[in-house]
Amino acid sequence: MPKHFFVDSFLLDTGLDSIQVMLWLRKLRQQEYVVVLRQFYENQTISSWS
């Protein structure tokens, strides 16, 4: 999993694989962010989530 990336980077292009995406989303949920997998695949940059 990349340690640093830009908010407008396509996250799958940074080297994340599907397992890493699931672990990353889990960490976000543990911090009380509401993120669903479909949302990630439809909007693959952090800046597009807002």
Side-chain angles (χ1 to χ4, degrees):
M1 184 176 304
K3 292 186 181 196
H4 303 283
F5 47 84
F6 297 102
V7 295
D8 58 348
S9 298
F10 285 94
L11 295 175
L12 291 178
D13 291 344
T14 65
L16 288 173
D17 63 30
S18 59
I19 299 298
Q20 291 171 321
V21 168
M22 295 298 292
L23 292 172
W24 196 60
L25 293 178
R26 180 179 173 201
K27 287 181 182 184
L28 288 172
R29 290 179 189 137
Q30 288 173 341
Q31 295 177 16
E32 300 185 15
Y33 289 96
V34 178
V35 181
V36 294
L37 186 60
R38 181 185 69 222
Q39 196 176 17
F40 171 80
Y41 282 109
E42 289 174 355
N43 305 292
Q44 294 184 20
T45 65
I46 292 178
S47 63
S48 67
W49 292 356
S50 56

